[in-house]
Amino acid sequence: MSRPDRLIYLPLGGAGEIGMNAYVYGYGPQDAERLILVDLGVTFPNMDTTPGVDLIFADISWLEERRDRLEAIFITHAHEDHVGAVGHLWSRLRAPVYARPFTANHASRKMEEQGQDPAQVIVTDPWPNKVQAGPFQVSFLPVSHSIPESSGLVIDSPAGRIVHTGDFKLDVTPVLGDPFDRDLWAEVAGDGVKVLTCDSTNVFSPNPGRSETSVGPAIRQLVERADGMVVATTFASNIARLKTLAEAGQAAGRSVCLLGRAMRRMVEAGVETGVLTDFPKTISPEEAGNLPRENLMLIVTGSQGERRAASAQLSRGKYMGLSLREGDLFLFSSKTIPGNERGVLQIVNAFSELGVDVVDDDADLYHVSGHANRPDLARIHQLMNPQIIVPMHGEHRHLREHVKLAAESGRTGVLAPNGTMLDLTGDTAQIAGYVDTGRTYLDGTVQIGALDGVVRDRIRMALNGQVVVSVLIDEEDEPMGEPWVELMGLPETGASGAALSDVLEADLDQFMGRASDKTLADDDKLEEGLRRIVRQSAQAEIGKRPEVKVIVSRLSA
């Protein structure tokens, strides 16, 4: 008996969090659907929960197991949380990657950096051009956002039309990139929209979003009034803001210098692809070092407190031969992403100690969001008039609130966080099942699973310290000499006033002296006993139970 065709949606990342976007659509018989993937992004680690990790990806194991059914990968725009994993994960999927020119420029570079074939990235024209991907016809729908050539996707299937908004805002004067075109969206909606899969990031923001052009006058006024050197930071990918900042510096008679590889790379990509024109002339850091401070403006990376970015390095002293001092001005032309507050505050306080005046955007003068606010989302709901609204790109609270917003206008919203498979075939969405989703860590050059225990062990060592115990056993299963220990991340002395290593070694020696022949002959029992003694003794001495590694070396007969 043949199985009926169905239309499915499955978020592997980005639904229930902001970052790591990866959304699967499929059409065909159950468990034999032909699939497409929308976006393949990263999220970033922090020292509290993922120490030492370089990047975090969605767990694509489910999709990898079905890669023979994967027709294509579509990248909506060039932000890292949408394109950042392409080079790292493409070899596990091996499907063609489609993107518009600016995004394709970044995707190709990421493929090349990871030793993959950049020719697998195919440059695509926007609507009404369509890409055939199995049972789907997919078109890039231009949207305004905080990076050029952002796109939603119009995904036509035999079961109906899906509009996947991607990250978007309603900006008719965006400085760079595509303005919001109501007539174009209305044209797309004219044939009927079955599903609107919609950005939820700013669903709690009650006022209509502002245009990128609105920040220009305030930034120009601030720069004109500054006496010393002016330094500004924003998201490196927001090249419209970079242009606004550079033009403000130029208008104030200052030479402009870009600091930070990511920022220079974004500007270069904008010029190469033709989306960025008339960018003010910039100077090198070496040239900047020879100019009077009042004639200089730096535009730097590190708006989110990244330790290795230019902002953080300037706050710690010098970067590229340049430094800040009392009377200089530092502008955050950005909002702090939740979770990054600590790193940003460290930079702010470090600049304060130097006497630098720091201006942030608490008054909403120097930054506008790239995401649609609540009234804008309601406007898109009305314009698209979909049968079903599926919130995505947001934490769980954002998705849930977006469902409530849909209900306010009598529309059906469906809460589908990561791992929730929806059957969208009928007039209403049905939960078709759940898929285990998680995270993959890039740790140096190796990809590890979240359940592999590497990061967990690293956290335990960071919290509790570590003791390595070594013992030597002869051919007769008798101890040779006393056990010895190495301490890492632990104080040298404890409550007794004696050296902690001496206390531990003495207690371990007593244990070895009273251990039974059976224990001494069994590595597992011996390790268990030694580990227990270390933790008990350390608890008594320093109030901690450290991680313990036991090395038993036996001499062979």
Side-chain angles (χ1 to χ4, degrees):
M1 182 177 176
S2 62
R3 292 166 292 179
D5 291 339
R6 65 175 184 172
L7 175 65
I8 61 169
Y9 162 79
L10 172 64
L12 298 177
E17 64 202 339
I18 296 177
M20 207 172 70
N21 295 278
Y23 308 94
V24 177
Y25 292 93
Y27 183 82
Q30 182 175 341
D31 298 325
E33 297 91 352
R34 306 304 298 179
L35 308 171
I36 60 172
L37 175 64
V38 176
D39 290 332
L40 195 53
V42 303
T43 193
F44 296 97
N46 62 69
M47 286 301 294
D48 291 334
T49 60
T50 48
V53 170
D54 297 281
L55 289 172
I56 304 174
F57 317 131
D59 181 356
I60 61 166
S61 299
W62 183 91
L63 189 58
E64 183 180 14
E65 291 169 2
R66 296 159 178 81
R67 73 179 187 184
D68 60 318
R69 291 157 44 193
L70 180 63
E71 300 283 353
I73 301 167
F74 295 90
I75 307 298
T76 59
H77 63 283
H79 275 148
E80 288 295 304
D81 60 330
H82 294 259
V83 72
V86 166
H88 295 282
L89 300 181
W90 183 85
S91 63
R92 296 172 57 187
L93 299 175
R94 309 193 74 81
V97 179
Y98 294 91
R100 294 177 66 192
F102 181 79
T103 305
N105 180 285
H106 291 278
S108 298
R109 176 174 46 79
K110 290 180 180 299
M111 291 280 280
E112 200 165 15
E113 288 172 352
Q114 299 304 316
Q116 308 300 335
D117 181 7
Q120 294 292 333
V121 179
I122 302 167
V123 177
T124 309
D125 292 328
W127 176 275
N129 180 69
K130 295 184 178 181
V131 175
Q132 190 73 45
F136 298 102
Q137 286 189 320
V138 182
S139 181
F140 286 85
L141 178 63
V143 299
S144 52
H145 185 42
S146 55
I147 192 169
E149 286 190 352
S150 296
S151 299
L153 296 175
V154 182
I155 305 171
D156 286 323
S157 77
R161 172 166 288 180
I162 301 164
V163 174
H164 183 105
T165 68
D167 296 7
F168 80 104
K169 64 182 294 187
L170 308 186
D171 190 346
V172 297
T173 56
V175 178
L176 288 176
D178 300 292
F180 171 64
D181 186 340
R182 186 194 181 283
D183 292 340
L184 179 59
W185 282 66
E187 178 186 339
V188 168
D191 294 330
V193 175
K194 183 177 186 63
V195 180
L196 178 68
T197 313
C198 194
D199 182 0
S200 307
T201 312
N202 283 357
V203 69
F204 288 107
S205 299
N207 300 316
R210 294 159 52 217
S211 171
E212 178 64 31
T213 57
S214 67
V215 301
I219 290 175
R220 284 195 296 273
Q221 187 177 66
L222 182 71
V223 175
E224 286 172 359
R225 292 178 175 177
D227 294 324
M229 183 166 67
V230 175
V231 184
T233 186
T234 190
F235 299 98
S237 58
N238 191 346
I239 59 177
R241 185 70 49 77
L242 298 183
K243 185 176 183 182
T244 297
L245 290 166
E247 288 174 343
Q250 185 181 57
R254 295 173 180 265
S255 295
V256 176
C257 177
L258 299 178
L259 289 182
R261 184 177 62 175
M263 196 163 279
R264 295 194 304 272
R265 183 178 288 167
M266 279 290 175
V267 171
E268 290 168 1
V271 173
E272 288 173 6
T273 57
V275 300
L276 179 59
T277 58
D278 302 325
F279 194 86
K281 180 184 176 182
T282 60
I283 62 173
S284 68
E286 292 76 19
E287 293 171 309
N290 295 321
L291 290 178
R293 307 180 71 78
E294 63 272 15
N295 294 340
L296 184 61
M297 179 172 180
L298 309 180
I299 305 175
V300 304
T301 55
S303 67
Q304 300 305 303
E306 304 93 327
R307 283 189 55 81
R308 290 182 290 182
S311 295
Q313 297 202 50
L314 284 169
S315 74
R316 295 193 293 267
K318 283 190 175 184
Y319 181 66
M320 302 291 287
L322 300 167
S323 60
L324 276 74
R325 65 189 187 200
E326 187 168 358
D328 291 338
L329 174 71
F330 192 97
L331 167 65
F332 283 91
S333 182
S334 56
K335 286 289 188 184
T336 302
I337 296 172
N340 295 338
E341 294 90 349
R342 182 183 300 178
V344 171
L345 280 175
Q346 286 176 343
I347 291 174
V348 170
N349 282 313
F351 281 138
S352 180
E353 291 175 8
L354 294 173
V356 175
D357 296 319
V358 178
V359 177
D360 59 26
D361 196 52
D362 283 347
D364 287 330
L365 292 175
Y366 309 111
H367 177 68
V368 293
S369 174
H371 298 271
N373 290 354
R374 190 183 189 93
D376 310 319
L377 294 173
R379 183 178 170 190
I380 286 298
H381 293 178
Q382 182 179 15
L383 182 60
M384 293 286 97
N385 193 27
Q387 290 181 25
I388 303 166
I389 294 173
V390 181
M392 55 91 181
H393 200 286
E395 298 169 359
H396 195 280
R397 64 191 180 99
H398 297 104
L399 307 185
R400 187 165 176 265
E401 186 65 21
H402 201 159
V403 170
K404 293 180 181 179
L405 175 63
E408 289 177 5
S409 58
R411 293 181 169 84
T412 300
V414 184
L415 184 63
N418 292 339
T420 306
M421 183 185 290
L422 296 181
D423 184 340
L424 302 170
T425 315
D427 293 336
T428 59
Q430 305 293 326
I431 294 178
Y434 297 94
V435 170
D436 288 335
T437 57
R439 299 185 166 208
T440 298
Y441 302 133
L442 180 67
D443 195 52
T445 59
V446 179
Q447 293 181 26
I448 57 175
L451 300 180
D452 289 355
V454 174
V455 173
R456 179 196 61 216
D457 291 346
R458 196 173 288 164
I459 293 172
R460 286 178 176 174
M461 286 188 284
L463 293 174
N464 303 314
Q466 185 179 35
V467 176
V468 178
V469 180
S470 299
V471 295
L472 190 60
I473 307 293
D474 67 15
E475 300 94 330
E476 304 297 327
D477 293 332
E478 293 293 331
M480 295 183 63
E482 299 176 353
W484 68 95
V485 300
E486 296 179 46
L487 309 181
M488 285 167 281
L490 293 169
E492 294 183 3
T493 58
S496 66
L500 179 60
S501 59
D502 291 345
V503 173
L504 296 180
E505 287 173 354
D507 290 346
L508 289 168
D509 189 43
Q510 288 185 28
F511 169 80
M512 294 292 289
R514 64 176 183 265
S516 67
D517 291 343
K518 188 175 182 180
T519 297
L520 291 172
D522 187 324
D523 283 1
D524 291 338
K525 289 184 178 179
L526 184 57
E527 289 177 14
E528 181 183 350
L530 292 168
R531 188 176 293 108
R532 184 179 68 254
I533 293 299
V534 169
R535 287 178 173 167
Q536 289 175 349
S537 299
Q539 179 69 38
E541 281 289 308
I542 61 174
K544 278 188 173 293
R545 297 171 66 85
E547 300 300 303
V548 182
K549 172 70 175 177
V550 178
I551 302 173
V552 178
S553 301
R554 294 183 181 273
L555 298 181
S556 57

